[in-house]
Amino acid sequence: MAKRVGMEVAVAVAEAVGQCDIDMAAVYPITPQSHIAEHLSDLVADGKIDAEFVTVESEHSAMSAVIGASGTGARVYTATSSQGLMLMHELLPIASGMRLPIVMGIANRAVSGPLNILNDHSDIMPQRDSGWISLFVENGQEAIDLSIQAFKIAEHKDVLLPVCVNIDGFQLTHMVEPLEFPDQELVNKFLPPRVPYATLHPSKPVTMGAFAMSDYFTEMMKAKDEALKNSKKVIIDIWDEWARMFGRAYKPVETYKAEDAEILMLTMGSMGETAEVAIDALRAKGVSAGLIKLRLWRPFPFEEIRAAAKNAKKLIVTDRAVSFGGPGGPVFSEIKSALYHEAHRPAIYNYIIGLGGRDVTVKDFIGMVEKVIPYNAEKTVDTYEFWGVRE
Amino acid sequence: MNIVENFDLYAPRLINKKELLSAGHRACQGCGEVLAVRLMCKALGENTVIASATGCMEIISSMYPTTAWEVPWIHVAFENAAAVAAGVEAGLKGLRKKGKIDDRYIKVVGMAGDGGTMDIGLQALSGAMERGHDMLFVCFDNEAYMNTGIQRSSGTPMGASTTTAPAGKISSGQKTWKKNMAEIMVAHSVPYVATACPSYPLDFIRKVEKAKATKGPSYIHCFSVCPTGWRCGSHLAIAMGRLAVESGVFPLYEVENGKYKVSSEMPKKLKPVKDYFKGQGRFRHLGEAEIQVIQHKVESEYQKILDKVKYLKAWD
Ligand SMILES: Cc1ncc(C[n+]2csc(CCOP(=O)(O)OP(=O)(O)O)c2C)c(N)n1
Ligand code: SF4
Ligand SMILES: [Mg+2]
């Protein structure tokens, strides 16, 4: 049994990546990702990781370099936040289009403007359609576990897609938590060396990133879509294997007191634990409330969401990003379209919360649930609300 | 002995016969750039991986599901060929060190047009060169964004008419002097920097071989005639390259560890710039006075190079 240590989560993520026999990493510093970058450098400098560590001149080059290195068959890692992720944006669909396994940690942070260094999900949401597998973690332990699993998912022969692990900036990355590192020998067993599909090597010359016009482009997009959809099965299998080996189980959607709840709330990322406390308080008051926590953002777990929401009368979706001028937050849109064809579906309400690092407390979550209690579930409310905003 | 004059005689012995950029690509007739790429590949040989930027050479060579490349080749985007090449180099190095791939030396090469090198790709290139990756970067400079329709770049020469800096009633085309890219690379203390042109194939090949043998970063700026964009006859690519060199518009030189050397192909006396301009539609609108201004600039720039050869030698 591995022993528990107290460690900052960003540092722990770097340690976990260090357990994965990476061959190359390229990073560019940005708050709040920088502790991951710095600790990775320490590990390389101390010879604890045998990898090429490239301190690129921008995030655009970080992503470009890991794409190039992944093309050689190397196991690669990068990490970023906010503006850095926005700068990489151009390359994200190229990485997935080339079917290159890459693992990226994202210390989620609000995007400018105005400049803000604190946490929300406005950096990852514009990357939604880039063809990456996108996972959200709730606490430090999940950050460790999913960072390791991400390599196995990305490199799986039926997947071959880049994976990003979303870790709420500051609220998670800078917390010191009691953490358990998996035993190295078990990690080696769980994560054998990468077996690449094709590599940039003169022993067998290949062309990567060819030019495709209308005669092939649609087929390529369909193939990418299918690869992403099919990855869900692999992800679930890998989570089952992890549970067997390390005793911690993961699912695309987690629920908390949700089975019999009339009012459900949905969160993504680190706010799940705060929301759980709110659910307990509401239950103590006799309110039939429960929680859905979305771990797998892409591929989107439609079946699991439908199953989790099937008995509820009302569903509150929280979003930590805005789709300006759109139908509500991006998570809200997804949930709505997942439930549209259901014969019995809950009324859905959307609250935009925690933008730019604004605290969301237990009281806030209780307030959201209490606000929808008097609403008539038969009457659709087609608006979203910025929770707690000063007008 | 003038090898170029007796090219047919010497070429089979001096040039690798193996084609690593195969025929059937989609470049325009008479394209000087694709000729340069082909010669570069011959000089590099098989143990090479190329990372290419978006641009003419990428589009014409990699139309899915075909490819002209007989060496491993990757294209990612327009501005990042140097960063991709740096990643390839780091990846191969990491894998080789750990014994995960066979233990052979592979030269990693980044390539881009003038736009992909001097404009949008400059940051990535500067970063890769500064970090000292063991890679060669070659700029195939055809003096405009040709792939997108002959728009100006910072490599477009003064006075040339392009689709975004056209000659018009009150304009004489490009209003700025060409960016001196080779000097920017010299300023990075890159151990080997050279200018070259496929109109001088043996000189070009020798420079690529030298760059290949250089441990660490190296840079070649390759002047590549584009008949389509320059509005000259498609049979004139070689002649135009020769005239650019003979007039001093594009001097051939090398900088090895900071030491300048003018290539033996440079004539003792430069031809007039106007001889070079004559056959090209992009300069057709220029008057005598404008050509004189350019003539003067070409001479003074060339003199600067000659001075660097002389005075840097004096410091030995
Ligand atoms: C980010 C981005 N901006 C613009 C383009 C459009 N574009 C593609 S190739 C090109 C010009 C290429 O010019 P150059 O690098 O000189 O190469 P050439 O085609 O002349 O060989 C441009 C503007 C692009 N692909 N990506
Ligand atoms: S446009 Fe110019 S550089 Fe491009 S393929 Fe044609 S001749 Fe070559
Ligand atoms: Mg060009």
Side-chain angles (χ1 to χ4, degrees), chain A residues 21-24 50-52 54-58 60-61 64-65 67-69 72-74 90-91 94 98 200-203 205-213 216 220, chain B residues 46-47 49 58-59 62-65 67 70-77 79-80 83-84 87-88 90-95 97-98 100 102 104 106 123-124 127 131 133:
Chain A
D21 188 29
I22 57 167
D23 302 305
M24 184 272 192
D50 187 7
E52 293 301 306
V54 187
T55 50
V56 276
E57 83 299 330
S58 73
H60 197 281
S61 287
S64 304
I67 287 173
T72 68
E90 181 201 19
L91 304 165
I94 303 177
M98 292 168 82
L200 294 168
H201 194 276
S203 56
V206 295
T207 291
M208 290 188 185
F211 171 62
M213 292 295 272
Y216 283 98
M220 288 173 171
Chain B
E46 281 160 48
N47 285 324
V49 177
E58 170 256 332
I59 293 291
S62 74
M63 175 76 90
Y64 188 85
T67 181
E70 305 277 349
V71 289
W73 181 90
I74 181 171
H75 159 256
V76 179
E79 65 279 56
N80 64 351
V84 175
V88 169
L92 290 173
K93 198 162 149 195
L95 292 170
K97 195 173 62 182
K98 289 167 145 182
K100 292 185 180 177
D102 63 17
R104 75 168 103 162
I106 298 163
Q123 173 184 317
R131 292 191 300 273
H133 291 277

Side-chain angles (χ1 to χ4, degrees), chain B:
Chain B
M1 174 193 62
N2 193 334
I3 286 179
V4 176
E5 301 295 285
N6 298 300
F7 189 66
D8 290 348
L9 207 65
Y10 291 97
R13 273 193 284 138
L14 294 172
I15 302 180
N16 179 4
K17 283 199 204 66
K18 192 151 175 137
E19 296 294 349
L20 295 169
L21 179 78
S22 64
H25 56 72
R26 290 162 162 83
C28 308
Q29 193 173 39
C31 173
E33 190 170 356
V34 81
L35 170 64
V37 175
R38 181 175 153 227
L39 292 174
M40 172 188 79
C41 289
K42 283 176 175 287
L44 289 168
E46 281 160 48
N47 285 324
T48 304
V49 177
I50 295 178
S52 170
T54 311
C56 272
M57 293 304 104
E58 170 256 332
I59 293 291
I60 60 100
S61 65
S62 74
M63 175 76 90
Y64 188 85
T66 65
T67 181
W69 297 97
E70 305 277 349
V71 289
W73 181 90
I74 181 171
H75 159 256
V76 179
F78 183 22
E79 65 279 56
N80 64 351
V84 175
V88 169
E89 186 256 0
L92 290 173
K93 198 162 149 195
L95 292 170
R96 188 178 174 204
K97 195 173 62 182
K98 289 167 145 182
K100 292 185 180 177
I101 53 172
D102 63 17
D103 188 25
R104 75 168 103 162
Y105 180 71
I106 298 163
K107 192 75 193 183
V108 177
V109 179
M111 59 175 272
D114 45 302
T117 304
M118 306 161 76
D119 291 341
I120 202 166
L122 185 57
Q123 173 184 317
L125 176 59
S126 175
M129 293 288 121
E130 172 273 325
R131 292 191 300 273
H133 291 277
D134 186 6
M135 61 178 260
L136 162 65
F137 195 91
V138 185
C139 171
F140 293 98
D141 180 6
N142 55 15
E143 303 198 312
Y145 301 154
M146 295 310 176
N147 182 49
T148 38
I150 327 176
Q151 295 89 6
R152 85 169 288 272
S153 77
S154 61
T156 304
M158 173 70 89
S161 182
T162 55
T163 54
T164 53
K169 287 206 178 81
I170 57 159
S171 165
S172 298
Q174 182 87 342
K175 294 181 179 63
T176 49
W177 296 108
K178 185 182 176 77
K179 191 187 276 184
N180 193 335
M181 194 55 213
E183 281 299 321
I184 293 173
M185 288 294 101
V186 172
H188 281 69
S189 298
V190 169
Y192 184 73
V193 175
T195 65
C197 174
S199 299
Y200 299 85
L202 297 180
D203 177 71
F204 178 42
I205 286 171
R206 194 185 51 80
K207 284 170 175 167
V208 174
E209 284 167 352
K210 239 178 173 175
K212 184 183 169 187
T214 302
K215 284 278 169 292
S218 51
Y219 177 83
I220 296 179
H221 197 92
C222 181
F223 192 76
S224 310
V225 177
C226 167
T228 308
W230 295 11
R231 314 222 155 99
C232 66
S234 60
H235 61 296
L236 289 177
I238 304 299
M240 281 302 158
R242 290 286 206 101
L243 280 167
V245 170
E246 288 163 352
S247 61
V249 165
F250 190 83
L252 298 178
Y253 63 99
E254 293 169 286
V255 188
E256 263 183 281
N257 298 314
K259 290 277 157 4
Y260 285 69
K261 194 174 140 216
V262 169
S263 308
S264 56
E265 276 75 4
M266 288 309 290
K268 287 269 168 323
K269 190 172 166 355
L270 299 180
K271 283 188 177 163
V273 165
K274 110 166 156 272
D275 290 6
Y276 165 62
F277 283 2
K278 224 169 19 205
Q280 300 179 48
R282 62 176 178 157
F283 294 118
R284 191 181 301 136
H285 56 284
L286 294 181
E288 201 51 50
E290 286 157 327
I291 292 176
Q292 268 322 302
V293 173
I294 296 169
Q295 178 69 51
H296 183 74
K297 175 80 170 174
V298 164
E299 283 167 18
S300 73
E301 286 299 313
Y302 188 50
Q303 189 55 48
K304 271 193 215 164
I305 294 171
L306 296 178
D307 287 350
K308 280 177 191 164
V309 174
K310 188 164 146 198
Y311 295 116
L312 287 170
K313 199 176 275 161
W315 283 3
D316 274 347

Side-chain angles (χ1 to χ4, degrees), chain A residues 9-32:
Chain A
V9 172
V11 172
V13 167
E15 286 279 338
V17 169
Q19 289 191 284
C20 296
D21 188 29
I22 57 167
D23 302 305
M24 184 272 192
V27 285
Y28 191 81
I30 180 167
T31 304

Side-chain angles (χ1 to χ4, degrees), chain A residues 313-324:
Chain A
K313 290 203 172 71
K314 293 171 183 173
L315 170 59
I316 299 166
V317 178
T318 62
D319 259 290
R320 306 199 58 193
V322 188
S323 173
F324 297 98

